[in-house]
Amino acid sequence: MFAQQVVQRGTFGHPGAVFDETEQWTTPLALAEDHDVVIYMPDTSTPQWLQRNYNSYLNKGTYVLSLFTFYRTPAACRANQIAWGLGDAAHLNACLDIAYRVRRALIDPVSKSVTLEAAAMVDQNGNIQPSSVQEDRVFRTWDQLDTNTQTALKKADELISRQMKIYDARQQSLR
């Protein structure tokens, strides 16, 4: 996930393409938004994404998903920095150059939980800021997440469940 570039800018700074956990560029899908942020996920209908997550989804009901948060305002970035314990002036001032946050997590819709595997801030050009990479595994239940992230996860799960049913039917027909 932490290749040099993970976002290709589109119009008005919104992502035009995102680099997913299968190392493919895909079209981002908007999941939730408010006046400060928009949360996107990669296109999970690609054969690569479905194949990578199929067995885990089938056996455990889980999948790995990247979420991309587009910051409409520096204040939204600053709020994230403070939440991460990075409230010093250097990190808060860096928000002038940060356009996105990327998170990769193991999603468990059955238990309504998320295990964050990695996260990082992304600059205006779509590149990971190496000093911001966090790879501490953090477990949260959905009710411990902000409203936008909860909404994004619910919508993502609906879309992924639909795609997995289609993919499963194809797999069954091949047997």
Side-chain angles (χ1 to χ4, degrees):
M1 171 173 138
F2 292 112
Q4 178 75 15
Q5 186 179 23
V6 294
V7 175
Q8 293 176 358
R9 285 176 57 103
T11 57
F12 301 108
H14 291 267
V18 293
F19 199 66
D20 73 8
E21 48 283 334
T22 67
E23 299 184 359
Q24 303 292 316
W25 287 103
T26 69
T27 303
L29 306 171
L31 298 172
E33 67 181 288
D34 65 18
H35 64 285
D36 287 327
V37 299
V38 182
I39 299 176
Y40 295 89
M41 73 176 200
D43 180 355
T44 56
S45 68
T46 65
Q48 296 89 348
W49 193 92
L50 291 164
Q51 182 179 25
R52 178 181 175 152
N53 287 281
Y54 178 68
N55 285 331
S56 178
Y57 185 83
L58 194 63
N59 296 322
K60 300 176 191 170
T62 63
Y63 49 87
V64 174
L65 182 66
S66 294
L67 293 174
F68 298 83
T69 301
F70 168 61
Y71 294 119
R72 290 179 166 163
T73 66
C77 170
R78 289 183 185 112
N80 271 160
Q81 293 283 53
I82 291 167
W84 283 8
L86 305 172
D88 59 275
H91 284 97
L92 297 180
N93 290 337
C95 285
L96 296 175
D97 296 321
I98 294 171
Y100 314 92
R101 177 181 179 204
V102 60
R103 297 172 281 179
R104 183 183 63 221
L106 176 67
I107 312 297
D108 186 344
V110 176
S111 68
K112 294 197 182 326
S113 66
V114 176
T115 302
L116 182 69
E117 295 179 348
M121 295 301 203
V122 179
D123 67 21
Q124 300 287 339
N125 295 319
N127 298 312
I128 294 276
Q129 292 190 330
S131 65
S132 73
V133 174
Q134 294 191 331
E135 296 183 292
D136 298 334
R137 294 178 68 87
V138 178
F139 176 85
R140 296 280 188 269
T141 56
W142 288 10
D143 62 350
Q144 294 173 309
L145 304 170
D146 65 81
T147 304
N148 280 331
T149 303
Q150 287 180 40
T151 301
L153 287 173
K154 289 174 187 172
K155 187 171 180 181
D157 191 55
E158 290 171 8
L159 295 168
I160 290 167
S161 293
R162 195 173 317 130
Q163 287 301 321
M164 283 295 183
K165 286 178 185 170
I166 294 167
Y167 189 77
D168 184 53
R170 286 187 193 142
Q171 295 304 308
Q172 296 300 325
S173 71
L174 296 174
R175 295 180 186 159

